[in-house]
Amino acid sequence: MIITRYLVWETIKNQLIILFILLFIFFFQKLIKTLSSLEGGEIAINTILTILGLGMPKMAQLILPLSLFLSILITFGRLCTDSEITVMQACGLGHSSLIKSAMILIAFTTLVSILNNGWIEPWSTNYENGILQKIRSNPGSAMLWPKKFQKLENGQVTLFIEERTGNQLKNIFLAKLRKKDNTLPYVIIAKNGKISEYNHNSSITTLTQGTCFQGHPVLHNFRITSFKNYQLILTHDQSVTKKYNVDQINLNTLWMTSSSSPVRRSELHWRLTLIFSVLVMGLMAVPLGIANPQKSRIPSILIAIFLYLIFFLLQSLMHSASNQNRMNPALSMWIINFSYLTVSILSNTWNTLLVRRLRAWLFHQGDL
């Protein structure tokens, strides 16, 4: 139908604009968070962009229902202000036409949400964590942190670098204080240094113009050596990806193993709630977006935002409590879901003939 296509097209244009704006905002928030977690390091720009790109599916978990909610609210509100909905009603098109166009968008957004929450987001989270762990545990291939004490070789070696420019290092402090095999503890101080990748898990570090203090404090057999060049191989910790983190488990596996732990059960119902919220918020936005063109839209917009925030705040609290096994997510989360769904259905059918007759019967006002 032409009217339905028109409503869908107007709404989806606004949804894409809102989605782009929200992703843009959360993109920079993710950028700041990523750079702060890797403070002081020098990372290739393509690695940073990869990390940010892999974070997009996680951002979309909450942005998808929000973008649909706001797009329906804004589009239908504009149509009311321009009296287009009044004209549609005068032509015999009722509230069902608005519901039909909204349901088309809800179905499409729900499909995207299922794919994102079920498979795309777990895969991207797993891949992103792998990159971050590799960066943090393998300085030879990614970075050495300046102005920060670092543990290498499974905590056996402590390294501090005051400045780093590319592979050039300045003012290096290196200490290995635990005796291992026949190697005595040592402390090395050098003015300059250079690091080059040796293989995937270790790197050659060449120090220049420094001093090596070697010995054991109990035995008092110290040896002090000044050097022009000192070369050593630093072994970096192996990166280990947490394969069983609930954020990295797809929906199928989570469904099959949800009974094994409270955290998995809570994560399953949280993801199902995120999918279900698309339907709830989409239906709730329809009556809230329709307002009398002669009245201010501010109250309805404030009510809509308030209901949206209360929904996700309550669900976040239930999710957190369920992770700690203090609540049953199958009960607590879905009571909220179906309560909001009931409110959405009632608000959309409040002025239908059947509901008006039911209200008249309940309040003894006679038949309409």
Side-chain angles (χ1 to χ4, degrees):
M1 191 175 181
I2 296 176
I3 295 297
T4 302
R5 289 201 303 268
Y6 170 72
L7 292 173
V8 170
W9 174 244
E10 289 296 315
T11 309
I12 203 169
K13 282 194 301 184
N14 287 329
Q15 184 180 6
L16 291 175
I17 293 171
I18 293 169
L19 187 64
F20 175 79
I21 293 172
L22 291 174
L23 284 175
F24 188 75
I25 294 170
F26 282 97
F27 178 86
F28 280 98
Q29 183 186 23
K30 176 75 173 178
L31 175 62
I32 295 170
K33 184 178 179 181
T34 301
L35 293 178
S36 63
S37 66
L38 301 173
E39 57 181 352
E42 297 180 4
I43 316 174
I45 186 64
N46 61 332
T47 304
I48 295 177
L49 292 177
T50 301
I51 294 172
L52 293 174
L54 291 170
M56 288 293 182
K58 195 168 188 66
M59 301 177 200
Q61 284 184 319
L62 293 173
I63 290 177
L64 278 173
L66 179 59
S67 65
L68 177 65
F69 181 73
L70 292 177
S71 64
I72 293 176
L73 197 66
I74 292 171
T75 304
F76 287 9
R78 183 188 64 79
L79 293 176
C80 282
T81 303
D82 296 342
S83 300
E84 293 187 45
I85 289 182
T86 304
V87 174
M88 293 178 192
Q89 292 173 344
C91 294
L93 298 173
H95 191 75
S96 59
S97 299
L98 302 177
I99 295 293
K100 183 179 179 181
S101 61
M103 286 302 299
I104 294 173
L105 289 167
I106 289 170
F108 175 75
T109 308
T110 300
L111 178 61
V112 176
S113 182
I114 291 172
L115 293 174
N116 182 65
N117 288 288
W119 292 273
I120 299 175
E121 190 272 335
W123 172 84
S124 66
T125 302
N126 182 47
Y127 199 79
E128 178 187 356
N129 288 346
I131 293 175
L132 290 174
Q133 289 178 15
K134 182 179 178 181
I135 289 172
R136 292 185 181 120
S137 64
N138 192 1
S141 63
M143 71 190 72
L144 284 175
W145 307 105
K147 299 181 180 179
K148 185 177 181 180
F149 286 96
Q150 304 158 76
K151 295 290 186 179
L152 304 177
E153 299 186 5
N154 297 320
Q156 298 290 324
V157 175
T158 302
L159 176 65
F160 179 85
I161 301 167
E162 186 175 359
E163 294 182 21
R164 179 190 174 186
T165 306
N167 290 330
Q168 302 297 321
L169 313 175
K170 287 186 177 182
N171 299 329
I172 305 105
F173 171 85
L174 184 70
K176 187 174 184 180
L177 302 179
R178 295 181 181 179
K179 184 177 180 180
K180 185 178 180 182
D181 299 329
N182 295 324
T183 304
L184 292 174
Y186 60 84
V187 174
I188 299 175
I189 301 173
K191 288 186 177 181
N192 300 299
K194 182 179 180 181
I195 186 167
S196 58
E197 187 174 352
Y198 181 67
N199 58 35
H200 176 71
N201 201 46
S202 61
S203 57
I204 297 177
T205 302
T206 304
L207 306 179
T208 58
Q209 299 179 356
T211 305
C212 177
F213 304 88
Q214 190 174 25
H216 199 284
V218 177
L219 301 177
H220 302 287
N221 57 343
F222 288 99
R223 184 172 59 186
I224 302 175
T225 306
S226 297
F227 59 84
K228 290 184 178 180
N229 289 285
Y230 188 97
Q231 193 173 77
L232 69 159
I233 298 176
L234 294 178
T235 303
H236 314 298
D237 299 337
Q238 292 282 355
S239 59
V240 179
T241 304
K242 296 180 180 180
K243 296 183 179 180
Y244 297 103
N245 191 326
V246 290
D247 291 340
Q248 304 169 19
I249 302 175
N250 63 51
L251 197 59
N252 280 341
T253 306
L254 206 57
W255 183 278
M256 299 297 295
T257 60
S258 61
S259 59
S260 62
S261 71
V263 176
R264 292 196 179 198
R265 184 166 60 251
S266 176
E267 181 68 17
L268 172 65
H269 289 282
W270 170 250
R271 291 197 203 174
L272 293 176
T273 294
L274 290 174
I275 297 170
F276 190 77
S277 67
V278 175
L279 171 64
V280 173
M281 291 300 146
L283 288 176
M284 185 170 288
V286 175
L288 292 172
I290 300 173
N292 190 329
Q294 297 178 351
K295 295 182 179 180
S296 175
R297 292 177 53 201
I298 295 177
S300 61
I301 293 175
L302 291 177
I303 292 172
I305 295 174
F306 176 77
L307 290 173
Y308 181 89
L309 291 176
I310 289 296
F311 177 82
F312 279 103
L313 284 174
L314 288 175
Q315 292 292 15
S316 298
L317 288 174
M318 297 303 106
H319 181 42
S320 177
S322 301
N323 282 336
Q324 301 171 17
N325 204 22
R326 292 188 295 173
M327 285 190 176
N328 183 2
L331 183 63
S332 59
M333 287 188 180
W334 289 97
I335 286 177
I336 299 172
N337 286 337
F338 285 114
S339 297
Y340 265 72
L341 180 62
T342 303
V343 172
S344 300
I345 293 173
L346 286 176
S347 59
N348 278 288
T349 59
W350 189 251
N351 290 319
T352 60
L353 182 61
L354 178 62
V355 175
R356 288 206 306 266
R357 286 179 175 175
L358 181 61
R359 284 158 46 196
W361 179 78
L362 288 174
F363 294 102
H364 306 287
Q365 296 176 357
D367 296 332
L368 295 178

